[in-house]
Amino acid sequence: MSPKLSIPRGIASALADNRFSLTEWTTATALERMDRSDRQRVPGLAQQAEATLRPADREWLSDRLSTLWMFMSNERDPDRTTTWLHESMRLLDDLPQDIVSPAIDEAVKKSERGFLPSIGAIRAIADPMLEDRRQKVRRLRMLADAILAPEMPKLEREPFKPCSPEDAAEIMAENGISRMEATKPRCIDPTRLRGPKAITVEDYVSLGLTREAAERAIAEFQGRTA
């Protein structure tokens, strides 16, 4: 029986696609999401993970399918039984045991009126599990190769591109926003921050403004109160 794939939470998170990013998964972004201890575990884990893709033991698979046939089929013709068993094994023999076994169980549970589940029904459950396993193993190998390389890949961030007026209009239309009113940035009342003391650039920066914007805000307030 092939070993089950067990991945620590931190590494599993790095292997997964980032739901909050539009960019594709890369080794550089995955490495950035892992701490040093997890990185050290990746090469050994990659080797172990590849073993989890080994197909199920043929004798075990034959016994499992034979039991299924006897349990759910009324057919007693030995030639038809042999043919079904041979073809079923041929069409399932690429699946690891810890994938094909629960897939057979689920197919039996979903079978209408207790009919023998088809190979297609079993594969419909097993194939997504197998593809997920293959993706994890593939990405682990890529990470291991990057970690063992003389230089690990560096994360190259794309420069920020502001949204164009055309793109903004399209987004507004898609979300049912009819118009957007241009409003003058609100000036923060310094007395609410420091009472009688004068506000400083650092006060504005602490609120998330850039230093340049903070200086403009102070100048605007002083002009209004002069």
Side-chain angles (χ1 to χ4, degrees):
M1 178 178 177
S2 56
K4 292 184 179 181
L5 181 59
S6 178
I7 303 176
R9 183 178 300 178
I11 298 177
S13 176
L15 293 177
D17 294 321
N18 189 343
R19 297 183 295 112
F20 305 103
S21 174
L22 298 178
T23 59
E24 295 184 357
W25 184 93
T26 65
T27 54
T29 54
L31 289 171
E32 188 183 56
R33 293 163 65 184
M34 287 191 293
D35 59 30
R36 184 175 180 180
S37 62
D38 281 338
R39 291 180 186 176
Q40 293 175 341
R41 303 174 67 178
V42 165
L45 186 60
Q47 282 189 328
Q48 298 173 20
E50 289 177 354
T52 67
L53 290 175
R54 280 203 307 261
D57 179 75
R58 288 187 62 81
E59 183 177 352
W60 173 88
L61 183 59
S62 177
D63 291 343
R64 182 73 175 84
L65 293 174
S66 297
T67 301
L68 184 66
W69 177 268
M70 290 187 292
F71 175 64
M72 303 194 70
S73 174
N74 294 321
E75 182 63 60
R76 292 297 176 261
D77 185 321
D79 291 336
R80 292 175 65 88
T81 300
T82 300
T83 300
W84 179 86
L85 181 60
H86 178 272
E87 283 300 292
S88 297
M89 288 190 62
R90 183 179 68 83
L91 296 171
L92 297 174
D93 67 358
D94 62 313
L95 297 172
Q97 185 169 328
D98 67 323
I99 288 179
V100 67
S101 182
I104 291 174
D105 290 344
E106 286 302 311
V108 170
K109 293 175 184 178
K110 294 179 179 180
S111 177
E112 296 182 3
R113 292 178 289 181
F115 290 158
L116 183 71
S118 67
I119 299 302
I122 297 172
R123 298 267 356 176
I125 299 170
D127 284 345
M129 299 166 64
L130 179 61
E131 179 53 35
D132 181 69
R133 172 80 54 85
R134 285 173 173 167
Q135 183 188 77
K136 286 183 171 67
V137 172
R138 184 167 59 250
R139 290 183 175 182
L140 275 171
R141 174 47 57 193
M142 293 170 65
L143 290 174
D145 291 343
I147 290 171
L148 296 175
E151 276 192 37
M152 285 199 299
K154 295 181 180 179
L155 181 62
E156 295 182 1
R157 300 186 185 277
E158 295 184 1
F160 173 74
K161 295 180 181 179
C163 181
S164 67
E166 293 77 13
D167 291 338
E170 184 177 348
I171 294 172
M172 291 166 61
E174 289 178 355
N175 290 275
I177 303 174
S178 59
R179 64 190 180 88
M180 180 181 293
E181 297 182 355
T183 58
K184 185 177 180 181
R186 185 181 52 165
C187 181
I188 301 173
D189 184 351
T191 60
R192 295 184 180 179
L193 294 173
R194 286 178 166 261
K197 296 183 179 179
I199 192 171
T200 67
V201 171
E202 282 69 28
D203 289 323
Y204 277 108
V205 171
S206 68
L207 295 174
L209 276 70
T210 64
R211 182 167 293 274
E212 182 180 349
E215 292 174 350
R216 287 201 305 269
I218 290 176
E220 179 183 347
F221 180 80
Q222 290 174 344
R224 290 172 58 186
T225 57

